[in-house]
Amino acid sequence: MLAVRGITLTTHPSGSALDTLVRLIQETAASVDEVQHQLLTQAETASRTLDRITSGRDTVHRAATDGLLQFTGVSIDMLVARRGEGIRLLRMLTNSYADLRTSPERDSPQQIPAPVKAPPRAPRRSRA
């Protein structure tokens, strides 16, 4: 169960704007969870590697010249950025859902104004 600004996500008619937002929120939340899991895994790996150095137990990598963390640091940075963007998107979606859910206009059909015919163009004068 996910609550948005005090409103619990519920089932809505299939294909409606609220239904689409609920599905997008669920997919985005699952994606953020997956990125968070990957981030924690990478951070734990880096922490163990660095812990061996700080405790003086790193006898294997003392002569290494190719970098200790290799791409782990870059990977962590990218995952942090992806998580931040995912959270930002999730906030936008949940705010839209809450706004649409509490909007009085959502229950009344929207009146779309008829197109307005453009005024006729004046004939072009040729340049001499």
Side-chain angles (χ1 to χ4, degrees):
M1 179 191 303
L2 181 63
V4 177
R5 290 181 7 195
I7 300 171
T8 303
L9 296 179
T10 57
T11 305
H12 299 280
S14 182
S16 68
L18 286 170
D19 177 59
T20 301
L21 279 171
V22 167
R23 284 187 289 109
L24 287 171
I25 289 168
Q26 291 168 336
E27 291 170 10
T28 303
S31 177
V32 169
D33 285 346
E34 175 60 27
V35 169
Q36 177 68 11
H37 174 73
Q38 292 173 12
L39 175 60
L40 290 176
T41 301
Q42 291 289 321
E44 288 170 358
T45 300
S47 178
R48 283 192 303 272
T49 300
L50 295 172
D51 186 48
R52 284 195 314 267
I53 293 171
T54 59
S55 65
R57 293 180 284 126
D58 183 45
T59 57
V60 176
H61 291 97
R62 285 190 180 165
T65 59
D66 60 348
L68 186 65
L69 292 177
Q70 311 247 338
F71 290 106
T72 304
V74 173
S75 177
I76 289 171
D77 284 344
M78 290 188 320
L79 289 168
V80 167
R82 284 180 53 203
R83 181 186 62 180
E85 285 301 308
I87 290 170
R88 192 171 134 250
L89 176 59
L90 192 55
R91 281 188 186 132
M92 288 179 2
L93 290 169
T94 54
N95 286 338
S96 295
Y97 177 81
D99 291 345
L100 188 58
R101 174 86 190 259
T102 58
S103 171
E105 294 89 30
R106 79 175 178 92
D107 294 325
S108 61
Q110 297 293 319
Q111 295 294 327
I112 301 172
V116 178
K117 190 173 182 179
R121 289 183 146 174
R124 294 185 88 183
R125 290 190 276 174
S126 62
R127 293 183 178 180

